[in-house]
Amino acid sequence: MLASGSWDRTVRLWNPSTGEEKRSLTGHTDFVTSVAFSPDGQMLASGSRDKTVRLWDPSTGEEKSSLRGSLFCWCPGHIATAEGTAIRVYQMDGKLVSYLLAPQPVISIACSGDQICAGCTTGEQVHLRADFLTLKC
């Protein structure tokens, strides 16, 4: 399965072999700027200019959670979001488990293992080595 986000505020799921649209997911109120499947393929996240990251079950199209943020990255067993200077880490069920303020607005976020890296507007990077339940830096 392939996913795409659009200016029409939808997330679309496609069969990459045939090009056939399988499903259209609605819920965002502004442009969808990013989409990514979880590492195990069981969830799909979409980020939007409406400042939400939505979690979907790609097999049913059901929205599972709406999280605060517009940027996101998948972390082991979690999803991290960013909006402004706030970085939040959620469990897969949408429960907030960690919150941190970066020194400057975050414009990119990535996760690798137990580390989160956030790029800020000033060009500096914030590297966090995290226990995702307490977000120790």
Side-chain angles (χ1 to χ4, degrees), residues 3-130:
S4 65
S6 179
W7 286 41
D8 70 0
R9 304 182 306 257
T10 64
V11 174
R12 296 180 192 271
L13 301 178
W14 307 88
N15 178 326
S17 299
T18 65
E20 175 188 1
E21 182 180 327
K22 303 303 281 180
R23 181 173 280 120
S24 180
L25 311 178
T26 60
H28 284 293
T29 59
D30 206 339
F31 306 146
V32 177
T33 56
S34 56
V35 293
F37 287 96
S38 61
D40 65 5
Q42 299 300 306
M43 297 282 280
L44 174 68
S46 58
S48 171
R49 287 183 47 184
D50 67 7
K51 299 182 181 179
T52 65
V53 172
R54 296 179 188 260
L55 301 181
W56 310 88
D57 179 336
S59 64
T60 64
E62 179 185 359
E63 182 180 323
K64 294 298 196 178
S65 295
S66 179
L67 313 175
R68 290 184 63 183
S70 54
L71 305 170
F72 69 89
C73 64
W74 290 106
C75 303
H78 297 79
I79 187 167
T81 68
E83 175 62 34
T85 59
I87 299 171
R88 295 174 177 86
V89 179
Y90 296 89
Q91 292 176 345
M92 299 301 278
D93 63 3
K95 179 183 177 194
L96 179 68
V97 293
S98 300
Y99 178 84
L100 176 76
L101 290 176
Q104 298 292 325
V106 175
I107 58 173
S108 65
I109 188 169
C111 183
S112 178
D114 67 347
Q115 295 185 36
I116 295 173
C117 180
C120 297
T121 56
T122 58
E124 70 182 291
Q125 294 180 354
V126 178
H127 294 269
L128 308 169
R129 191 166 187 87

